[in-house]
């Protein structure tokens, strides 16, 4: 919510912050200040939990007021986006009358718009991990609760605001969430009872023709604040003469400094330049001790390595990032659909999919990027687009022709169209489709290794796995690229991303629809289906693959190896160095082995 309604609610609710119910009894907790922890038992195990509203360790009114003064009045009570459609918001700090029809109409009209959700203080673009609470409604008498949205938000405007928030969360043992765009599949931008630091206001963009820092690189760069999104950075670079480009995600609304680079950051230019993490030159980062540090190849070099793909929300809050940029080039794109809806010949459809996927190594070896969707609604392969950066339409057509010839020979019907663009930026604007927010689903994923798809019978095994995925009611998104194709092998180990990614030819996202407020048994069944049926089929088909932390099952088995391989041991030591007490948290990231969300996914606790 924006404007006067939100501000007035904040003023009223801030008075309630110190009014807590009786806390739980504290016992002796070796190695910790027990007054800051809440002891709980769950399923026969004992836990030491962070502080939440109602606990005796929850900060009192004076402490919150002091924090609000420190951050110049930018502390906000968080209210779910749909609250204006309800008579009353029943929050953990008290009930508030919230109905406002014009605001309700605005929220309802824009709920599926990513940028609308991004501009909110603490919304998650996908709602499953919010408990799907307080969605827009036409029945104001329905109940609106906070669900698993955070309780409070610091809308940080300065580095000092972030530092104050980190220190306050650390000193009071609060669950802390760092949120820029909320562009996250795994629920890392929301969390029950948490304090959020929102970094979206950090919008500075600076470009340079040369870099004088460490690493030996002397080329052009872009330096972006934490809140800058891909479309903003690319627009700025495109306006240069000659135009430049940087590695970004496929989605234009994703932030380019923060979770994207800390997870690795793949996109349409990955086959040419590697991950976004591979192009990083320097970070300004606030660590768990509240200090602002510079991290580059010479200064805090271990932290620099870890921030480049070592796990989102794990080592610090990136305030600013500097990346390499590259000359933009004329580019060609092809859109293709295999659509057999209404045709009773699934064998022909799957033959088309088999042919398509058999060319993954051919596509990446020729420097292409391919984005595709394989859906459950009928028999449909939607490739939007094949991307040939630096290629003419004729050159792209020559790469694709053997694939098209095989489709024709098999009698697989398809439609396609080709287009030529002055720059990759123009292609990016024209051919990548807009994504939507507001959906509820579990996501998972796996990668297909080159050696597995190229082995005898290997591609057939992958296609059988695809059949299992769709047969289980899942939807799938593929990204065909090679993060090792255009990047010198000598640079592969400079970032913390899983070494296996250098041999990947297809990175898959799997999506299992399920409502965030579904019965617990239904949620458990959906999670089991994702982990043990959908993604299990892909893991079996490509045993030499790996998983991508930003687009994966949050409960991926053997996640340490799946996400980081041999890099994990080093990352764990660095996490213990830079955040020994777990100030930062994101599920299945280095050092979180003993952290668990108990009591139906609410309290974040250490298992004792």
């Amino acid at each position: 919510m924006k404007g006067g309604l939100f501000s007035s609610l904040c003023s009223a609710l801030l008075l309630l912050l110190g009014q807590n119910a009786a806390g739980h009894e504290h016992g002796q907790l070796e190695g910790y200040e027990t007054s800051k922890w809440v002891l709980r038992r769950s399923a026969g195990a004992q836990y030491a939990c962070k502080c939440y509203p109602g606990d005796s360790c929850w900060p009192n009114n004076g402490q919150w007021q002091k924090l609000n003064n420190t951050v110049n009045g930018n502390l906000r009570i968080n209210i779910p986006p749909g609250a204006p459609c309800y008579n009353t918001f029943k929050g953990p700090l008290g009930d508030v009358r919230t109905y406002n029809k014009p605001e309700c109409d605005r929220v309802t009209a824009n709920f599926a718009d990513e940028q609308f959700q991004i501009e909110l203080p603490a919304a998650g673009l996908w709602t499953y991990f919010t408990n799907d609470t307080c969605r827009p409604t036409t029945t104001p008498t329905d109940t609106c609760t906070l669900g698993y949205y955070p309780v409070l938000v610091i809308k940080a405007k300065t580095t000092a605001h972030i530092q104050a928030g980190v220190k306050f969360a650390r000193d009071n043992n609060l669950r802390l969430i760092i949120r820029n765009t909320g562009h996250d599949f795994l629920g890392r931008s929301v969390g029950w009872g948490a304090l959020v630091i929102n970094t979206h206001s950090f919008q500075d963009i600076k470009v340079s023709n040369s870099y004088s820092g460490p690493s030996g690189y002397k080329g052009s760069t872009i330096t972006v604040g934490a809140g800058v999104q891909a479309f903003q950075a690319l627009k700025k670079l495109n306006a240069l003469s000659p135009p430049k480009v940087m590695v970004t995600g496929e989605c234009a609304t994703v932030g380019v400094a923060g979770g994207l680079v800390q997870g690795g950051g793949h996109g349409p230019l990955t086959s040419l330049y590697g991950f976004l993490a591979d192009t990083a030159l320097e970070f300004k980062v606030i660590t768990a001790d509240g200090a602002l540090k510079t991290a580059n190849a010479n200064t805090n070099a271990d932290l620099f390595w870890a921030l480049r793909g070592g796990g989102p929300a794990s080592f610090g809050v990136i305030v600013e990032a500097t990346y390499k940029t590259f000359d933009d080039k004329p580019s060609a794109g092809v859109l293709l659909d295999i659509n057999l809806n209404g045709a009773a010949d699934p064998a022909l459809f799957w033959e088309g999919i088999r042919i398509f996927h058999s060319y993954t190594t051919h596509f990446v070896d020729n420097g292409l990027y391919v984005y595709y969707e394989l859906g459950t609604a009928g028999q449909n392969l939607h490739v939007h687009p094949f991307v040939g950066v630096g290629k003419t339409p004729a050159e792209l057509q020559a790469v694709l022709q053997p694939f098209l010839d095989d489709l024709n020979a098999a009698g697989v019907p398809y439609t396609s169209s080709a287009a030529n663009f002055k720059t990759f930026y123009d292609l990016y604007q024209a051919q990548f489709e807009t994504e939507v927010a507001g959906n509820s689903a579990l996501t998972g994923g796996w990668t297909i290794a080159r050696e597995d798809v190229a082995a005898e019978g290997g591609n057939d095994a992958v296609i059988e796995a695809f059949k299992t995925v769709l047969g289980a009611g899942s939807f799938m998104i593929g990204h065909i690229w090679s993060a090792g194709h255009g990047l010198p092998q000598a640079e592969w180990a400079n970032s913390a991303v899983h070494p296996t990614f250098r041999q990947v030819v297809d990175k898959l996202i799997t999506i299992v629809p399920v409502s965030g407020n579904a019965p617990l048994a239904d949620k458990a069944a959906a999670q089991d289906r994702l982990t043990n049926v959908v993604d299990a089929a892909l893991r079996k088909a490509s045993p030499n693959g790996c998983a991508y932390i930003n687009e994966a099952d949050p409960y991926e088995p053997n996640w340490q190896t799946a996400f980081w391989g041999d890099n994990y041991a080093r990352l764990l030591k660095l996490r213990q160095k830079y955040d020994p007490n777990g100030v930062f948290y994101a599920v299945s990231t280095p050092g979180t082995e003993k952290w668990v969300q108990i009591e139906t996914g609410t309290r974040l606790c250490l298992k004792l």
Side-chain angles (χ1 to χ4, degrees):
M1 236 182 299
K2 299 179 180 178
L5 176 63
F6 184 84
S7 299
S8 62
L9 288 173
C10 290
S11 299
L13 283 174
L14 199 57
L15 298 175
L16 298 170
L17 284 169
Q19 300 174 14
N20 299 316
H24 298 279
E25 181 180 355
H26 292 275
Q28 294 300 312
L29 185 61
E30 184 178 355
Y32 297 94
E33 186 178 339
T34 56
S35 63
K36 295 180 181 178
W37 293 82
V38 178
L39 296 185
R40 310 287 281 201
R41 290 192 66 84
S42 178
Q46 188 172 17
Y47 296 87
C49 304
K50 292 198 176 265
C51 291
Y52 293 99
D55 295 332
S56 59
C57 54
W58 183 255
N60 62 36
N61 184 60
Q63 291 171 296
W64 285 112
Q65 292 286 6
K66 184 177 179 180
L67 174 64
N68 192 38
N69 293 337
T70 303
V71 298
N72 303 115
N74 286 296
L75 180 66
R76 300 285 189 270
I77 301 298
N78 186 41
I79 297 176
C85 298
Y86 296 79
N87 289 335
T88 304
F89 164 59
K90 293 185 174 296
L93 305 175
D95 293 354
V96 181
R97 300 287 292 178
T98 51
Y99 185 72
N100 181 313
K101 188 178 187 308
E103 185 70 5
C104 174
D105 292 343
R106 188 177 76 92
V107 171
T108 301
N110 291 284
F111 198 72
D113 182 86
E114 282 193 337
Q115 198 60 34
F116 172 80
Q117 296 274 7
I118 285 167
E119 299 296 337
L120 296 174
L125 270 65
W126 295 275
T127 61
Y128 178 80
F129 288 101
T130 70
N131 206 39
D132 239 1
T133 185
C134 201
R135 295 178 69 91
T137 182
T138 57
T139 309
T141 55
D142 286 349
T143 300
C144 171
T145 64
L146 192 62
Y148 293 175
Y149 282 111
V151 178
L152 296 114
V153 185
I154 297 171
K155 296 193 69 175
K157 303 295 176 59
T158 68
T159 298
H161 293 169
I162 300 176
Q163 291 175 299
V166 170
K167 291 176 182 177
F168 190 85
R170 181 198 64 210
D171 293 346
N172 293 283
N173 198 24
L174 307 180
R175 180 170 181 182
L176 179 64
I177 289 170
I178 310 304
R179 194 265 192 193
N180 170 18
T181 65
H183 204 294
D184 176 64
F185 290 127
L186 280 70
R188 299 175 307 205
S189 295
V190 298
W192 184 83
L195 170 67
V196 168
I197 299 175
N198 183 302
T199 63
H200 192 58
S201 68
F202 288 70
Q203 291 287 325
D204 287 347
I205 304 177
K206 294 170 284 188
V207 296
S208 174
N209 289 326
S210 61
Y211 181 66
S212 58
S215 79
Y217 177 75
K218 301 300 179 184
S220 59
T221 63
I222 185 169
T223 299
V224 296
V228 173
Q229 295 169 258
F231 73 89
Q232 297 169 306
L234 292 174
K235 182 178 180 180
K236 179 78 170 183
L237 292 171
N238 180 253
L240 300 176
S241 182
K244 298 286 185 178
V245 72
M246 67 176 290
V247 175
T248 66
E250 167 272 329
C251 181
T253 60
V254 70
V256 292
L260 180 68
V261 67
Q262 290 176 81
H266 69 89
L269 299 178
T270 289
S271 286
L272 300 181
Y273 308 117
F275 284 100
L276 176 62
D278 295 318
T279 72
L281 295 166
E282 185 172 276
F283 299 108
K284 303 294 185 184
V285 58
I286 295 168
T287 46
D289 58 1
L292 176 64
K293 294 181 172 68
T294 296
N296 58 39
N298 287 355
T299 304
N300 296 308
D302 56 353
L303 178 60
F304 179 56
W305 179 82
L307 290 170
R308 301 170 74 185
S314 298
F315 299 96
V317 185
I318 294 176
V319 176
E320 182 182 273
T322 299
Y323 300 107
K324 298 176 184 178
T325 62
F326 309 92
D327 291 336
D328 205 349
K329 302 174 182 178
S331 300
V334 167
L335 311 179
L336 181 141
D337 284 272
I338 297 175
N339 193 331
L340 272 68
N341 274 333
D345 194 353
L348 184 61
F349 172 73
W350 283 109
E351 176 61 9
I353 305 305
R354 186 197 67 77
I355 292 170
F356 166 72
H357 205 267
S358 72
Y359 276 89
T360 50
T361 58
H362 173 76
F363 295 149
V364 299
D365 288 346
N366 283 277
L368 300 192
Y369 171 86
V370 186
Y371 179 90
Y372 70 93
E373 298 173 353
L374 192 57
T376 56
Q379 302 169 43
N380 182 273
L381 172 69
H382 184 64
V383 184
H384 277 229
F386 292 94
V387 178
V389 177
K391 296 188 185 301
T392 66
E395 289 170 334
L396 179 56
Q397 186 67 30
V399 175
L400 296 180
Q401 197 59 52
F403 156 60
L404 299 176
D405 288 344
D406 282 358
L407 288 182
N408 292 330
V412 177
Y414 65 90
T415 59
S416 67
S417 61
N420 190 29
F421 298 92
K422 184 179 178 181
T423 62
F424 164 74
Y425 176 77
D426 293 327
L427 183 153
Y428 186 81
Q429 294 286 97
Q431 292 206 318
F432 284 92
E433 297 172 320
T434 301
E435 297 183 6
V436 298
N439 291 326
S440 179
L442 282 168
T443 62
W446 192 251
T447 62
I448 307 300
R450 174 185 290 269
E451 62 184 295
D452 292 327
V453 76
E456 184 176 355
N459 189 60
D460 291 342
V462 171
I463 301 309
E464 289 303 311
F466 285 6
K467 292 178 181 178
T468 298
V469 171
L470 267 63
S474 182
F475 179 78
M476 192 162 62
I477 300 172
H479 312 74
I480 296 175
W481 44 249
S482 170
H485 174 78
L487 188 71
Q489 188 167 351
E491 298 181 22
W492 288 2
N494 290 350
S495 67
V497 297
H498 198 313
T500 293
F501 276 121
R502 307 307 177 183
Q503 301 299 331
V504 162
V505 294
D506 192 1
K507 196 212 75 67
L508 300 162
I509 302 173
T510 53
I511 301 170
V512 175
V514 58
S515 173
N517 57 9
L520 293 179
D522 292 354
K523 286 185 174 183
Q527 182 65 59
D528 180 72
R529 186 162 72 253
L530 174 66
T531 303
N532 299 314
V533 177
V534 171
D535 284 2
L538 297 172
R539 290 193 295 269
K540 180 179 179 181
S542 187
N544 294 295
C546 59
Y548 178 63
I549 180 60
N550 283 350
E551 297 162 338
D553 180 356
Y555 304 105
E556 172 71 38
N558 303 311
W559 56 266
Q560 297 91 338
T561 300
F563 293 142
W564 290 285
D566 292 342
N567 287 340
Y568 188 76
R570 182 181 177 189
L571 287 168
L572 181 59
K573 289 181 180 179
L574 291 174
R575 181 63 183 274
Q576 292 165 345
K577 173 182 177 180
Y578 285 102
D579 185 18
N581 295 318
V583 173
F584 303 116
Y585 173 80
V587 64
S588 298
T589 51
T592 62
E593 284 83 353
K594 290 188 177 182
W595 288 96
V596 184
Q597 292 183 134
I598 65 170
E599 299 175 10
T600 63
T602 56
R603 287 180 177 268
L604 180 63
C605 308
L606 269 174
K607 187 174 183 180
L608 301 180

